[in-house]
Amino acid sequence: MGRVLNDKILNKHFLYWLVLLLPAIAIAQGGLDGFLKPADSLNKARRNGVVIAEVAVAAGTLVGLNQLWYADYPKSDFHFKNDNAEWLQMDKAGHVFSAYHLGSVGKNALQWSGVSRRNQLIYGSTIGFVFLSAVEVMDGYSSNWGASVGDVAANFSGTALFVGQELLWKEQRIVPKFSFHTTPYASVRPNVLGETSAEQLLKDYNGQTYWLSVNLHSFFKESKIPKWLNLAVGYGAEGMVTGNDEFINTVFLPEKERYRQFYFSLDADLTKIETKSHTLKTIFYLFNTIKIPAPTIEISSGQGFKFRALYF
């Protein structure tokens, strides 16, 4: 049962990423700069294509989740579950990240279609919150889980981070990013934290780091700071083989306690690299979700102060 459950968790996370990337990948498949160039005015064919693609992908993903995840478990009346203390809130950081970038994809897809900026924000930027909220409703009707107020709050925060910057600055100066490294914890409970590197990328919270990458030039536009240079603040956690300490004595643990990690590092905003190629702009946009390896300062309760020459 444990292996089946965690394979379903992997499938759920994979489908999240599919929703995040598929619309942008579909746009990039045109191959020609003329196709990738955003429309100067409303292009109804593009707009209709984007709307149909997003609705189809979202609906297909929800159906897939229902079949892969929920179908084998009993239903219940809608209810909530308080999971805010689990995994030292690493899962909540993931919800912020996903909601932000889903909204970014939605907004930029409509911009590419020539839709008005107002409608980009109303109908595009909120797609992450709407989709992830639908998943929470499905959780709420499953007796094994439950809708999480913490997840909803994290989804809203990710959407608000994107929309707020668009309203305040008309640009994204602070971008959530992600990095990952393998850890020894996965070998302790591979059925939960992943057996392969691909599984561990999605399931091992010990190796995940979520960042807020701040573009310095955007705040100091008259300075000589390179337009692409960012300062990144990261959050991670280690010592976790369960969501909480409830089953801590049933498995062998490395000699470490659960603890939080905070990071300070340099980064690059790939979207600030100047190019006239819309193909390169699309590639830079897609990869701007990932924090680049760089010298990093780590501060944690478990390890104290550390300098890492290169951290990812």
Side-chain angles (χ1 to χ4, degrees):
M1 175 64 73
R3 176 60 188 273
V4 173
L5 174 59
N6 285 284
D7 283 346
K8 290 182 177 180
I9 291 174
L10 178 61
N11 289 329
K12 184 178 182 182
H13 282 288
F14 173 78
L15 289 169
Y16 279 177
W17 283 98
L18 181 64
V19 172
L20 173 62
L21 294 176
L22 191 58
I25 292 173
I27 290 172
Q29 290 300 308
L32 298 175
D33 270 15
F35 176 79
L36 294 172
K37 182 180 179 180
D40 295 327
S41 58
L42 177 62
N43 184 316
K44 292 184 178 179
R46 286 188 178 186
R47 180 201 60 191
N48 294 343
V50 167
V51 172
I52 291 171
E54 290 182 344
V55 170
V57 171
T61 302
L62 292 174
V63 171
L65 280 175
N66 184 63
Q67 295 301 315
L68 291 170
W69 183 303
Y70 300 103
D72 294 337
Y73 297 94
K75 302 291 184 179
S76 69
D77 292 335
F78 185 82
H79 65 286
F80 288 93
K81 176 184 177 181
N82 185 353
D83 63 351
N84 292 334
E86 295 185 2
W87 300 111
L88 294 180
Q89 295 79 52
M90 286 296 294
D91 57 325
K92 302 301 181 279
H95 276 267
V96 172
F97 174 88
S98 296
Y100 175 95
H101 285 291
L102 280 168
S104 176
V105 168
K107 186 264 184 187
N108 281 285
L110 291 181
Q111 181 180 2
W112 172 77
S113 307
V115 172
S116 68
R117 185 171 180 274
R118 177 177 178 271
N119 287 339
Q120 291 171 29
L121 295 178
I122 294 175
Y123 301 110
S125 300
T126 58
I127 191 172
F129 180 75
V130 172
F131 171 77
L132 294 173
S133 294
V135 175
E136 288 302 318
V137 171
M138 296 172 74
D139 278 344
Y141 282 105
S142 174
S143 61
N144 284 55
W145 292 278
S148 167
V149 175
D151 286 354
V152 174
N155 297 337
F156 178 81
S157 297
T159 300
L161 178 61
F162 184 86
V163 174
Q165 292 186 81
E166 288 293 322
L167 294 175
L168 183 61
W169 299 314
K170 296 184 179 180
E171 63 177 349
Q172 295 298 304
R173 300 183 180 184
I174 305 170
V175 177
K177 293 193 178 187
F178 175 83
S179 66
F180 175 80
H181 59 273
T182 58
T183 74
Y185 298 96
S187 63
V188 177
R189 293 190 74 192
N191 63 318
V192 173
L193 303 180
E195 295 183 352
T196 67
S197 296
E199 289 182 349
Q200 292 166 19
L201 174 70
L202 299 175
K203 297 165 69 174
D204 185 4
Y205 288 121
N206 299 283
Q208 298 177 2
T209 305
Y210 289 97
W211 304 82
L212 289 178
S213 188
V214 182
N215 184 254
L216 299 176
H217 185 271
S218 295
F219 287 98
F220 306 98
K221 293 185 179 292
E222 303 301 321
S223 71
K224 295 183 179 180
I225 299 174
K227 292 182 179 180
W228 51 265
L229 182 62
N230 280 24
L231 178 65
V233 180
Y235 174 67
E238 279 199 32
M240 303 176 294
V241 294
T242 63
N244 48 47
D245 293 328
E246 185 176 350
F247 305 106
I248 211 72
N249 295 322
T250 66
V251 295
F252 171 77
L253 291 175
E255 293 183 1
K256 290 184 179 179
E257 299 291 333
R258 295 157 57 94
Y259 62 91
R260 305 176 192 275
Q261 301 158 308
F262 300 92
Y263 300 94
F264 300 89
S265 183
L266 297 176
D267 189 32
D269 186 338
L270 301 182
T271 66
K272 302 296 184 183
I273 298 176
E274 296 184 1
T275 176
K276 294 182 179 180
S277 169
H278 292 284
T279 301
L280 286 177
K281 287 180 180 179
T282 301
I283 294 172
F284 290 156
Y285 168 74
L286 292 174
F287 280 93
N288 204 48
T289 59
I290 301 172
K291 164 73 169 63
I292 66 168
T296 300
I297 295 173
E298 175 189 339
I299 302 174
S300 69
S301 57
Q303 299 292 318
F305 178 92
K306 270 187 179 180
F307 175 77
R308 300 178 181 270
L310 197 64
Y311 177 82
F312 186 69

